[in-house]
Amino acid sequence: DRTVEMEAFRKDGKEFPIEVSVYPIEIDGGRHAVVVIRDISRRREAEQIVREAMVNMEFILETLPVGVLVIGVDKMIRQANRTACEILGYGSQQQLEGKACYDILSPTCKTGCPIIDLKQPIRNQEITVTTKDGREITLIKNVVLVTLKGEQVLLETFLSLDDFKQ
């Protein structure tokens, strides 16, 4: 009762990936096995395409000149790109991830999130925040509710108007 992936060889000697499933059965008191072999070349190709797309998306996210945060409905920051860290004065993504979004970007929203609780969109909202190193900066931000991996999260994007003006 197992399924394993392995490499097999075609008649012409070319190697290809297969999935082998083995199921025990009993026939007329004797023990036998049913073996199912599937060529998984297409699945492996599709998996490679998905891996490459993920690497490309991660590269794009990390090189955007816009801060990007993924925030759970629990209002905790799940993911931050490099630009978000730079704008907000954090040295690494790990320093931002796990923090409450209202402590970082919306101190007045501790009791009610405009998107989650009040169902109000945030588009091109200008706010002033204090960076980790104590500077006050003005941001323009947008927040949308999206579904990632089957979970609703907030996707918050922002840029520093102070940097933009310079």
Side-chain angles (χ1 to χ4, degrees), residues 91-108:
S92 72
Q93 294 163 326
Q94 291 76 20
Q95 289 179 333
L96 261 176
E97 293 168 359
K99 293 200 178 304
C101 63
Y102 48 78
D103 287 338
I104 307 296
L105 287 168
S106 304
T108 60

Side-chain angles (χ1 to χ4, degrees), residues 1-164:
D1 254 352
R2 254 174 50 134
T3 300
V4 295
E5 291 183 10
M6 57 181 53
E7 301 302 313
F9 294 95
R10 298 191 192 283
K11 196 176 202 180
D12 64 3
K14 186 177 178 186
E15 193 173 356
F16 69 104
I18 61 170
E19 180 180 83
V20 180
S21 301
V22 181
Y23 305 98
I25 62 169
E26 203 171 302
I27 300 176
D28 296 329
R31 293 179 58 156
H32 301 277
V34 173
V35 179
V36 178
I37 301 171
R38 288 187 254 334
D39 180 342
I40 58 171
S41 299
R42 287 188 181 163
R43 183 175 82 197
R44 289 260 180 99
E45 289 168 7
E47 289 169 350
Q48 181 62 29
I49 290 168
V50 168
R51 274 192 299 277
E52 289 172 6
M54 292 298 291
V55 167
N56 290 339
M57 290 304 297
E58 192 68 29
F59 174 76
I60 290 168
L61 180 66
E62 286 304 310
T63 57
L64 280 173
V66 173
V68 179
L69 298 176
V70 176
I71 301 166
V73 293
D74 60 357
K75 302 173 187 160
M76 302 305 279
I77 298 171
R78 303 270 175 85
Q79 188 176 358
N81 74 344
R82 182 183 49 77
T83 304
C85 296
E86 290 171 2
I87 290 172
L88 298 171
Y90 285 81
S92 72
Q93 294 163 326
Q94 291 76 20
Q95 289 179 333
L96 261 176
E97 293 168 359
K99 293 200 178 304
C101 63
Y102 48 78
D103 287 338
I104 307 296
L105 287 168
S106 304
T108 60
C109 297
K110 284 185 182 182
T111 57
C113 172
I115 299 279
I116 298 169
D117 302 324
L118 307 175
K119 309 294 186 229
Q120 296 174 349
I122 295 178
R123 290 189 181 88
N124 299 321
Q125 181 183 45
E126 194 172 311
I127 63 167
T128 300
V129 299
T130 303
T131 63
K132 186 172 190 255
D133 55 7
R135 294 177 294 121
E136 279 201 355
I137 60 171
T138 303
L139 302 179
I140 187 158
K141 73 175 190 170
N142 289 280
V143 185
V144 293
L145 190 61
V146 298
T147 302
L148 293 178
K149 298 179 186 175
E151 176 186 16
Q152 284 203 311
V153 295
L154 297 170
L155 181 64
E156 185 157 335
T157 58
F158 55 90
L159 54 91
S160 167
L161 286 180
D162 301 338
D163 292 345
F164 185 71

